[in-house]
Amino acid sequence: MISAGSATRGAGLLGACGVLVLVCLLSIAVGARSIPLPEVWQALWSPSDSTESLVIHDLRIPRTLLGLGVGAALGLAGALMQALTRNPLADPGLLGVNLGASAAVVIGIGWFGVGAASGYVWFAFAGAAAASVLVFLLGSAGRRAATPERLVLAGVAISAALSAFISTVVLLDNKTFDQFRYWVVGALAGRKMSTVIELAPFLLAGIVLALLLARSLNAIALGEEAGRALGADIGRTRALGAVAITLLCGAATAAAGPIGFVGLAVPHMVRGFTGPDQRWLLPYSMVLSPVLLLAADILGRILLSPGELEVGVVTAFLGAPVFILLVRRRKLVAA
């Protein structure tokens, strides 16, 4: 028999999916050339040679699909980070993923002459993966297991080193700085469908792995001893969680650049409705994070129309004050 709480959460998740569909349609309709929703719906099912149809299929649909994938990845990765570290203020950047990707992009631009967004993708993904693996190896070095505290400390150390490396390279090479600054701000514009297709397997693998870890994460949330008593393999769960975070953050950062706040705040806000149960927290974060990301992208197009403001800038401006207010209200930090 389904409990009232489960029924409410299930209905809420369906409602969130409905909101996501609406935001996706708005993302396709709104831009420098605004297209009425009826025309959007018709163009989706009956492509033509009209300008509106070409804009929708060549520009807006790839951008919206990328926002869906990147938002879902950041939300799930943030929820995983907060569960694995038992820290509600943790975010995907805590393991050095963003800075690992950024360092690799700097290398690609400065040392290999990569000049297109399609070329940044694989450098960024490789850098994100390498940083995550290095953090996990350092956090698990020695006789002690990779505890949340050791992983966080390893992430801080690696992030500091990577930040210094990036600053050194871009300050010494103006050409690298000029190209790098457009990627590092975080944006969904200018990406092709080929980028979405190339990264889709990594995103799907990370999403499936993250959702499969829900029960184990619930067990280890009670503490290591209680988790083992409930049959959870602590080391295996942390290792698989690190793999999922690498896949999700690596692909998302490679495709859109480092985008802040989404993976930090959405899982935290969702927890107020779902509670700590990862079986609900993870799916809600996966659905509502792209809602936030696409809504921010739409707002960025409206604010500077016919130009646009990059989504990474919008999420930072909107998200930071809201999150600070939320943290203070919940008394997670000292007032």
Side-chain angles (χ1 to χ4, degrees), residues 62 118 121-122 191-200:
S118 59
V121 168
W122 298 109
R191 308 307 192 258
K192 299 180 179 179
M193 183 62 79
S194 58
T195 300
V196 178
I197 295 173
E198 288 172 355
L199 293 175

Side-chain angles (χ1 to χ4, degrees), residues 18-53:
V19 173
L20 179 58
V21 171
L22 177 59
V23 172
C24 287
L25 291 175
L26 290 174
S27 176
I28 297 173
V30 176
R33 178 190 289 269
S34 294
I35 304 172
L37 286 178
E39 292 186 25
V40 170
W41 188 256
Q42 182 178 0
L44 288 176
W45 300 107
S46 301
S48 65
D49 294 331
S50 67
T51 302
E52 289 77 9
S53 182

Side-chain angles (χ1 to χ4, degrees), residues 101 117 120-126 128 183 191 195 199 249-257:
Y120 300 158
V121 168
W122 298 109
F123 278 94
F125 190 85
W183 177 85
R191 308 307 192 258
T195 300
L199 293 175
C249 285
T253 306

Side-chain angles (χ1 to χ4, degrees), residues 145-221:
T147 63
E149 293 79 10
R150 297 187 71 186
L151 289 174
V152 170
L153 290 174
V156 171
I158 294 299
S159 295
L162 290 173
S163 180
F165 169 78
I166 293 169
S167 298
T168 300
V169 173
V170 298
L171 287 175
L172 294 177
D173 188 343
N174 290 333
K175 183 179 179 181
T176 300
F177 173 73
D178 288 338
Q179 293 188 39
F180 175 70
R181 62 178 177 169
Y182 290 109
W183 177 85
V184 76
V185 73
L188 300 177
R191 308 307 192 258
K192 299 180 179 179
M193 183 62 79
S194 58
T195 300
V196 178
I197 295 173
E198 288 172 355
L199 293 175
F202 301 102
L203 290 171
L204 291 175
I207 288 171
V208 171
L209 181 56
L211 295 176
L212 290 176
L213 290 174
R215 292 185 180 275
S216 297
L217 292 172
N218 280 342
I220 67 174

